[in-house]
Amino acid sequence: MSAIPAGGPGLPQRRHLVTEIPGPASRQLLARRESAVARGVSSILPVFVTAAGGGVLIDADGNSLIDFGSGIAVTSVGNSAPRVADRVREQAGQFTHTCFMVAPYESYVAVCEELARRTPGSHEKRSALFNSGAEAVENAVKIARHATRRQAVVAFDHAYHGRTNLTMALTAKNMPYKDKFGPFASEIYRVPMAYPLRWPGGPERCAAEAFDVIAGLIHAQVGEDNVAAVIIEPIQGEGGFVVPPAGFLPQLAEFCQAHGIVLIADEIQSGFCRTGDWFACDHEGVVPDLVTTAKGIAGGLPLAAVTGRAEIMDSVHPSGLGGTYGGNPVACAAALGAIETMAAEDLAGRARRIGEIMLPRLRKLADTYPVIADVRGRGAMLAVELTRPGTLEPDPAATQQVAKACHANGLVALTCGTFGNVLRFLPPLVIGEDLLEEGLSILEDAFAGL
Ligand code: PLZ
């Protein structure tokens, strides 16, 4: 085996397989893993990574794979992006932790300033920093309940908000996220999602009916003035990259405003340039009251945030929010490097360009293979949904088969969806166009092999 290269954009940007997938070195690590790592924590790829950068992952056998996953929409700026890695190195040499609740530091404040600048709306905002997406969602709900003195939270079919107790309750899908992990938190009410492909009566009726159905359910089953918050992913992530029809989110925002309900946009997967704008809400000018962010915010370091209207955020008494590690200085340094990269390299523009390259090829694929029932998404957050041809019956087996064929040929492709029948594409926004085209060719070959 050759020496392990350093990661970052300097890595040769090419797919190069030198062994089968997984190779012998990864197989050895898999065996060690089995006797040390809990079975409940699983991995999609069977290879162990030694370096990554730009649009490639290098494994323990020296294989170079094309990355269409970004570690689930995290390394949008690329792995070991120079501005991230440099700032992390510098910060780690200065101090690694004081606890912001004990002795504060500037970078935490600077991240909150950036969040105020970049998130939708020009109103006065405040932010609080946490470690994971789930923790941000938990805190957004805490804040909304505190501010409104109400308890009910409305979440959607196909929603994903995390794996902690409250966020499991908000997440829709049972297996693998919730099965026998209950009892779950109370006062969570679920309403249908505006899911055009699967709306009874079809996409046109979805646009016309979804909001009324949801508002009707809230009125009849919860009562508007019992609702603290409505939480929605403006483009759903784990649940299947579901894009609601134009007009739906603005209607929902208007409804929340009319009834004093806090609208929480969970932009943990869709945020930070992924969809071709800073946030997915921006495409329709929707201004949520609270926004949860994580993933792409810090180029791979664990950081999450709740950002929102000053009066809502500041309704919470001093010391009502916090946590030992929230806004860790190394993670904040990474976030400042990541946000600077997004702005300096116009990664929102890159995301739009990725969409322009990928969408026509995905649509052509759908024209060729009737197993593809839908092509959807925005910018560099794209997906295809697989069903038995001519029906809406999900085809998770074909989805798995395509994903596995991609992996065997050196393309990191992820699946998602309540029914496990969606292939999703989340390339790093810095991926080269040749690599992007090559990845799409591998995907096409995988469909040809079905
Ligand atoms: N909200 C919209 O996408 C995380 C989950 C991976 P954490 N999605 C990836 C898995 O199987 O655990 C996510 C999300 C949205 C919240 C979360 C939760 O973020 O950082 O994983 O807690």
Side-chain angles (χ1 to χ4, degrees):
M1 206 186 85
S2 52
I4 294 170
L11 276 178
Q13 295 296 301
R14 54 166 191 163
R15 179 181 68 117
H16 186 58
L17 299 185
V18 294
T19 69
E20 66 198 326
I21 302 285
S26 279
R27 284 203 302 272
Q28 231 174 37
L29 288 163
L30 281 168
R32 263 175 67 194
R33 167 192 178 135
E34 255 176 46
S35 50
V37 179
R39 195 175 63 137
V41 183
S42 50
S43 306
I44 293 157
L45 283 189
V47 298
F48 280 71
V49 174
T50 54
V56 298
L57 300 177
I58 311 296
D59 78 7
D61 292 284
N63 296 302
S64 176
L65 291 83
I66 301 174
D67 184 10
F68 272 15
S70 301
I72 321 188
V74 171
T75 51
S76 299
V77 294
N79 238 299
S80 299
R83 291 182 184 87
V84 173
D86 289 349
R87 285 183 187 246
V88 162
R89 239 178 255 115
E90 195 185 337
Q91 180 58 49
Q94 282 163 345
F95 62 96
T96 48
H97 175 82
T98 60
C99 187
F100 192 74
M101 300 182 305
V102 173
Y105 34 87
E106 184 189 352
S107 56
Y108 188 117
V109 179
V111 170
C112 296
E113 288 167 349
E114 284 292 349
L115 283 162
R117 192 170 305 141
R118 308 293 180 185
T119 53
S122 53
H123 50 281
E124 183 81 10
K125 295 171 195 164
R126 302 283 184 269
S127 292
L129 304 184
F130 304 97
N131 303 292
S132 67
E135 204 188 347
V137 171
E138 291 260 354
N139 278 280
V141 170
K142 272 172 68 172
I143 294 163
R145 284 179 168 158
H146 201 278
T148 58
R149 309 282 155 164
R150 302 174 182 178
Q151 294 187 351
V153 178
V154 174
F156 287 82
D157 278 341
H158 311 285
Y160 183 92
H161 298 292
R163 294 177 182 265
T164 56
N165 188 263
L166 173 61
T167 60
M168 268 193 294
L170 293 168
T171 290
K173 185 175 175 176
N174 178 50
M175 205 54 173
Y177 306 124
K178 302 171 74 167
D179 196 53
K180 297 181 185 64
F181 291 133
F184 302 113
S186 58
E187 285 304 311
I188 307 293
Y189 298 87
R190 194 168 306 285
V191 293
M193 177 60 185
Y195 187 161
L197 179 72
R198 294 189 176 278
W199 190 261
E204 294 77 30
R205 303 234 335 234
C206 180
E209 294 173 2
F211 171 75
D212 290 341
V213 168
I214 291 159
L217 282 171
I218 292 173
H219 178 73
Q221 299 186 11
V222 198
E224 294 84 348
D225 60 4
N226 293 315
V227 180
V230 169
I231 181 163
I232 189 162
E233 300 153 83
I235 296 181
Q236 287 184 322
E238 305 305 306
F241 280 31
V242 177
V243 187
F248 174 76
L249 292 171
Q251 249 180 323
L252 191 66
E254 209 175 294
F255 168 82
C256 287
Q257 197 183 7
H259 295 286
I261 297 168
V262 176
L263 177 64
I264 305 173
D266 181 346
E267 292 251 20
I268 286 165
Q269 191 152 168
S270 57
F272 284 106
C273 300
R274 176 53 55 188
T275 63
D277 219 326
W278 276 93
F279 291 92
C281 280
D282 292 328
H283 297 286
E284 289 190 87
V286 169
V287 180
D289 300 303
L290 300 180
V291 185
T292 54
T293 53
K295 291 188 183 281
I297 191 176
L301 272 85
L303 188 73
V306 181
T307 302
R309 294 187 189 283
E311 62 277 16
I312 296 176
M313 295 294 293
D314 283 344
S315 73
V316 178
H317 47 274
S319 302
L321 304 173
T324 304
Y325 294 113
N328 167 274
V330 183
C332 284
L336 293 173
I339 293 167
E340 187 188 316
T341 305
M342 289 177 219
E345 298 183 11
D346 183 24
L347 293 191
R350 289 297 309 153
R352 291 195 296 274
R353 173 81 186 133
I354 288 170
E356 281 161 20
I357 293 171
M358 293 189 78
L359 268 176
R361 287 187 70 176
L362 294 176
R363 291 205 176 108
K364 193 152 165 254
L365 209 53
D367 290 341
T368 313
Y369 300 103
V371 70
I372 300 179
D374 197 17
V375 177
R376 58 179 180 251
R378 223 191 254 285
M381 184 171 184
L382 299 173
V384 294
E385 176 160 355
L386 280 67
T387 64
R388 307 296 282 279
T391 76
L392 286 178
E393 192 188 329
D395 196 341
T399 311
Q400 272 306 319
Q401 203 182 321
V402 171
K404 291 238 150 58
C406 290
H407 303 163
N409 287 308
L411 174 69
V412 180
L414 308 180
T415 63
C416 65
T418 300
F419 315 111
N421 66 326
V422 178
L423 283 161
R424 59 171 150 174
F425 311 107
L426 293 162
L429 305 180
V430 296
I431 194 170
E433 293 189 6
D434 288 356
L435 220 49
L436 194 62
E437 300 276 9
E438 192 181 348
L440 286 162
S441 299
I442 296 169
L443 180 72
E444 286 160 3
D445 290 347
F447 271 98
L450 266 182

